[in-house]
Structures are given as structure tokens and as C-alpha cells.
Amino acid sequence: MILARRGFILGGAAILSGCATTSATHASGFRPLAASAQPPRPVPAATAIQTVQVVAPPLDPRGVVRKDLMDRAMAALDIHHRRVPLRDRMYLVDFQKYSGEERLYEVDLVAGHVTALRTCHGRGSDPAHSGFARNFSNTPESYMSSVGAYATAGASHGAQQGPNVLLDGLEYSNDRARERAIIVHGADYADPDFLAREGKLGRSYGCFSVAHTDLPALRERMGQGRLLFAWA
């Protein structure tokens, strides 16, 4: 019985296979549909995804800022990222330069260009008033400038210095900036007529004094949460 059923299955499969042949199809009177006269429509290829790579403009293409100062400032942006969350622009001070030169830089970190201004150093950093800052300190009443990374802490107004920008020192070399009232403010001894008369700027008590005409725009743009990095 088992063999007979197996033989039946194999025989049936052969018959079904024979039904699928061309001769069997013609014998049964079945005719295949005529092929269409039109060629088959091509299947469109998958559309390639185009990626556009946005290349940032070069930073300081004219080389206004000396390279080691720029490199240190860029490193400070990463080191102090929690205190300096805004990375659209930063401010650098090059205390190697003569006080009569432009040495306060606003660096546009998006467009790459640099704007240069003048700023003073502390009288304790230049006791002979040579125009060059030689010594730096974080000590109160030293009247010296302090180097290192600062975070701008917003616009303010003081009884003595008037409109200003507050600063918070972020390193051991300047972390007493608030205690020492180290700020950005306007000063007569930083104005162009003083420079024209003396050939150099006057000296502050350690503040980053600027010309009165430069302060309003600088005060607004510095705001809060940006880097000011001073080095020599």
C-alpha cells in the first residue's frame, strides 16, 4: 500500500510536469497572450543622494593675530566651554604689543574675520610707562594686568567708571578679577587724542580700558558668556 501510494504521487507529479510543457499547452488549445508592441518601461534607478559639505571660511585669513595666541585662545574655548558657551565670537588681547598699537581683537568665529582695537594695560605691569606690559599679577592692589581666560559677564554700570563689561577670571592667574574689579570700560587715557599727544595709551589699574568711542559697540557685542583671552 505504501509503495502504491508513492508510485501514484510520482506519477501525478510527472503528469503535472507534462502539463507545463509547450506541447501540452498547444494540445489543450490554450494560446499565450501576444507580447505588447511597446517595450517594457524601464525601472527608474534610485535617485542619488547628494551631500553638500559646508566649508567654514578660514579663521583670520590676513594673519592679524599671532598664531600662538590664536591657538591658546582656541584651546581655552574647549577647556572652559561650560563657562564660555557662546562661540560666535571671542576677544583676544596681545600684551606683547606696544600700547599704542591695536592689540584687542574681536575674532568672528563664524565668518573668520578679525577686528582690531586698542586697549590699555595696568600701571603695575609697566611702572616706567614704556608702553609695554612686562609684569602680570592676580594680587589685589598690584595694579597689574592679569593674563589668562576670562568669561564676559554682561554689561554693567559703575559709579566711577560708568558703562562697562564685567569679567570673571577662569584661571589661577586671574580668578580674583571680580575682587579686583577688573572690567572693560572707557577711559580718557585710551582715547585717540591721548594717543596722538603721548604716542601711547595711558595705564589702568589692571582693567582693559578702551576708547570711549569703541566702548558702546564693544559692550553690546561682548555680552555674557564669551571668551576674553589675554596673553603676553
Side-chain angles (χ1 to χ4, degrees):
M1 178 65 68
I2 294 175
L3 293 176
R5 188 169 184 270
R6 181 178 180 185
F8 175 78
I9 293 173
L10 293 175
I15 295 172
L16 290 175
S17 176
C19 291
T21 63
T22 303
S23 59
T25 302
H26 289 177
S28 64
F30 175 78
R31 296 290 184 273
L33 294 175
S36 173
Q38 297 180 351
R41 182 177 299 177
V43 178
T47 304
I49 299 176
Q50 296 182 351
T51 58
V52 179
Q53 184 176 4
V54 179
V55 179
L59 189 62
D60 188 19
R62 296 184 293 125
V64 178
V65 182
R66 59 185 169 97
K67 186 178 185 303
D68 66 322
L69 175 58
M70 183 70 80
D71 290 345
R72 285 178 180 272
M74 294 300 291
L77 276 177
D78 294 331
I79 293 170
H80 302 291
H81 64 94
R82 290 185 177 85
R83 298 291 302 274
V84 185
L86 301 182
R87 298 181 69 129
D88 53 348
R89 51 186 174 270
M90 65 178 178
Y91 298 85
L92 312 182
V93 178
D94 187 353
F95 278 138
Q96 281 192 7
K97 300 186 75 172
Y98 184 67
S99 70
E101 296 181 84
E102 294 174 329
R103 57 180 182 175
L104 167 60
Y105 308 107
E106 179 183 275
V107 181
D108 188 324
L109 294 168
V110 179
H113 59 75
V114 175
T115 303
L117 307 168
R118 291 182 175 86
T119 189
C120 300
H121 52 250
R123 63 177 59 244
S125 294
D126 179 17
H129 200 190
S130 65
F132 288 96
R134 304 295 188 187
N135 307 300
F136 304 92
S137 175
N138 194 29
T139 305
E141 309 302 325
S142 67
Y143 303 140
M144 293 186 190
S145 297
S146 298
V147 294
Y150 297 80
T152 61
S156 185
H157 194 288
Q160 293 183 343
Q161 306 299 346
N164 61 72
V165 180
L166 299 176
L167 299 173
D168 287 322
L170 305 179
E171 300 176 349
Y172 73 92
S173 58
N174 63 5
D175 59 6
R176 303 178 80 172
R178 282 293 188 109
E179 178 185 347
R180 298 179 60 207
I182 303 300
I183 57 177
V184 180
H185 66 84
D188 295 341
Y189 53 82
D191 284 341
D193 57 348
F194 187 99
L195 174 62
R197 185 174 67 251
E198 301 292 334
K200 56 194 170 188
L201 300 187
R203 298 164 297 170
S204 69
Y205 283 173
C207 294
F208 299 93
S209 306
V210 299
H212 287 294
T213 54
D214 291 334
L215 181 64
L218 193 60
R219 184 170 178 253
E220 180 180 355
R221 292 178 63 77
M222 277 187 162
Q224 182 174 0
R226 294 184 175 88
L227 177 71
L228 186 151
F229 187 82
W231 202 251

